[in-house]
Amino acid sequence: MSKQQQFNYLTYGSRANAQETETFINFLLDNAFSDDTKHATPICIWGLHGIGKTEMVRDIAHKRDLQFVYIAPAQFEEMGDLIGMPKVEVDKDGNSTTRFVPPSWVPQSEGKGIFLIDDVNRADDRILRGIMQLLQNYELVSWKLPAKWIIILTANPDGGDYSVTTMDDAMLTRMIHVTMEFDVKSWAKWAEEFGIDSRGIDFVLTYPEIVSGHRTTPRSLVQFFEAIKPVEDLKENLSLIKMLSDGCLDEQTTVAFINFINMELSKLISPEEIINTKDFKKIEKRVEELIEGKTKRLDILSVIITRLTNYLLISNDEIKESQFNNLKNFILLPLIPNDLRLAMAQEIVNSSKKSLKKLYTVPEIGKLLLTKM
């Protein structure tokens, strides 16, 4: 039983996959940076642990060339950790005054930046009250954020097994909310782009239901896939692979991955093999061997299709004529059901690449697309 089924989690905002969440945040950032007259409303991203909320915000800051400062208020033990510590100073007339010295992590640089408050509701109630003032005024007793800095927060769901502090309505209404959920196809596209081990991508696409455990999360899966990356032959090193998996993931995930290896599913055809082959008949034969059997393995076929589609969409280059012919031959394979063929073709022709839009000119594919418009 998954964690989502065990607990009635409480979150806020629309439920969205990673790509939708990123689009949502970028839209709000565009609006915020275009208006110099007022501070932007802080953004709060809700979601289960390990799905990549923090990493997404870091990536957005990097892609947009923004300054970035991160704090984890769950580590703060007293208000001084947030607002700074008092310091006694003597003025030129010999009078003593007390002022607060801001913490060293406080952003100082002018220009555009993101101030990330990570796992905000893991902080205790005293710290939350201080953060609420920051959300309202973009400043505290001893410091304030420079102009054009945006506050983004992440939070774990309430109403479940997380050790969180419930935020009241006064705090909740100071933020714009979105709930990020795991979506296997969005994750696979991200993983392809960031060079995650292809065997790991195939595994998650084959067993998407495993990404819902206590220890098995997108984050822990990536840690595991990075650990096995140097291992060329997984089957010859099953004992090591099991130890690495047990060190990162739930027991049932380890069992599924060992089965994945034993069934030779870790050796699926890669997108590069399909698109760059000089003899498509060999590819067709390999696909048939993988898919056709006592029962047709549409799950494996779906994995191959998803990986090939993502590979084509994230590449910066237009495909060559020979690659286009291989793509056309693959989509027209008789063993691909029309619903999968249509879904793949629709996603590909929606790309901005002219070489992919040429699929419209293939009579069988063009007819299929037009009849479903």
Side-chain angles (χ1 to χ4, degrees):
M1 184 178 292
S2 71
K3 290 184 69 176
Q4 290 92 325
Q5 293 171 312
Q6 292 174 11
F7 301 103
N8 183 24
Y9 284 126
L10 181 62
T11 60
Y12 299 88
S14 295
R15 298 181 181 276
N17 63 37
Q19 289 176 306
E20 292 167 336
T21 302
E22 185 172 353
T23 299
F24 176 79
I25 294 171
N26 276 313
F27 172 80
L28 293 174
L29 290 177
D30 288 340
N31 283 350
F33 291 138
S34 66
D35 188 349
D36 296 331
T37 63
K38 59 184 178 180
H39 290 302
T41 303
I43 307 164
C44 187
I45 308 169
W46 296 77
L48 300 177
H49 66 289
I51 64 170
K53 303 182 296 295
T54 305
E55 290 77 5
M56 169 179 287
V57 179
R58 287 184 192 275
D59 289 343
I60 289 173
H62 177 72
K63 289 175 182 177
R64 299 180 68 118
D65 196 24
L66 303 175
Q67 300 175 77
F68 180 80
V69 170
Y70 164 101
I71 64 168
Q75 299 172 3
F76 293 173
E77 296 183 356
E78 55 186 38
M79 283 300 295
D81 294 327
L82 178 66
I83 65 174
M85 300 299 291
K87 179 182 179 181
V88 177
E89 294 183 342
V90 180
D91 63 20
K92 63 181 180 179
D93 298 321
N95 299 316
S96 297
T97 58
T98 301
R99 71 179 184 88
F100 279 83
V101 179
S104 61
W105 48 258
V106 171
Q108 303 286 341
S109 302
E110 296 297 328
K112 298 176 182 178
I114 291 176
F115 180 56
L116 175 62
I117 305 176
D118 202 26
D119 290 335
V120 60
N121 56 346
R122 288 184 177 270
D124 68 31
D125 189 58
R126 295 173 305 122
I127 303 298
L128 274 184
R129 288 198 296 271
I131 290 173
M132 185 166 73
Q133 180 191 345
L134 178 63
L135 301 181
Q136 178 71 24
N137 303 318
Y138 268 58
E139 64 180 63
L140 288 170
V141 174
S142 65
W143 61 274
K144 64 179 180 180
L145 284 175
K148 293 192 176 181
W149 277 71
I150 310 297
I151 298 175
I152 299 181
L153 311 92
T154 67
N156 289 139
D158 205 345
D161 58 337
Y162 288 109
S163 178
V164 297
T165 303
T166 299
M167 291 188 278
D168 62 21
D169 289 343
M171 186 166 188
L172 291 170
T173 53
R174 283 167 165 79
M175 300 175 279
I176 296 177
H177 303 267
V178 65
T179 294
M180 181 171 152
E181 295 186 321
F182 178 76
D183 174 77
V184 67
K185 288 192 174 182
S186 296
W187 179 87
K189 189 172 183 179
W190 169 87
E192 202 82 55
E193 187 174 358
F194 279 81
I196 303 302
D197 192 299
S198 62
R199 298 166 298 186
I201 301 174
D202 289 340
F203 173 65
V204 174
L205 286 170
T206 306
Y207 299 100
E209 69 280 358
I210 56 95
V211 192
S212 58
H214 291 279
R215 294 180 61 221
T216 300
T217 68
R219 177 171 58 208
S220 61
L221 282 163
V222 169
Q223 291 169 350
F224 171 59
F225 298 149
E226 287 299 299
I228 67 170
K229 205 168 190 176
V231 183
E232 293 186 10
D233 194 321
L234 300 180
K235 201 166 188 177
E236 286 188 357
N237 294 275
L238 277 184
S239 178
L240 172 62
I241 299 303
K242 182 180 184 304
M243 290 179 67
L244 291 170
S245 184
D246 284 339
C248 300
L249 310 169
D250 291 325
E251 181 181 358
Q252 59 267 35
T253 308
T254 297
V255 172
F257 193 75
I258 296 302
N259 288 338
F260 176 78
I261 296 171
N262 286 329
M263 293 169 64
E264 302 289 339
L265 297 180
S266 60
K267 299 179 180 178
L268 296 184
I269 305 172
S270 71
E272 294 89 344
E273 289 177 286
I274 296 171
I275 209 71
N276 293 320
T277 184
K278 295 181 179 178
D279 185 355
F280 190 82
K281 286 294 182 182
K282 291 182 179 179
I283 294 294
E284 182 174 5
K285 183 178 180 182
R286 286 182 62 189
V287 173
E288 288 176 352
E289 290 172 349
L290 284 166
I291 308 307
E292 302 288 5
K294 292 182 179 179
T295 58
K296 196 169 185 176
R297 292 299 303 270
L298 293 181
D299 56 335
I300 296 177
L301 181 59
S302 179
V303 169
I304 297 172
I305 288 173
T306 299
R307 289 212 55 213
L308 177 57
T309 302
N310 288 343
Y311 173 82
L312 292 168
L313 294 180
I314 67 174
S315 171
N316 293 323
D317 301 323
E318 298 282 354
I319 63 173
K320 301 174 183 176
E321 189 65 29
S322 60
Q323 294 173 322
F324 177 81
N325 288 331
N326 287 332
L327 171 62
K328 176 188 70 175
N329 290 334
F330 179 85
I331 294 180
L332 294 177
L333 284 175
L335 56 77
I336 298 181
N338 260 357
D339 57 341
L340 290 181
R341 194 191 327 275
L342 173 63
M344 181 182 186
Q346 284 178 321
E347 193 166 358
I348 290 174
V349 297
N350 284 334
S351 165
S352 59
K353 297 178 183 177
K354 294 180 180 179
S355 55
L356 295 181
K357 289 185 179 295
K358 286 199 306 180
L359 281 178
Y360 273 121
T361 66
V362 179
E364 301 93 330
I365 299 174
K367 182 178 179 181
L368 181 64
L369 289 167
L370 290 173
T371 56
K372 296 298 181 180
M373 290 180 65

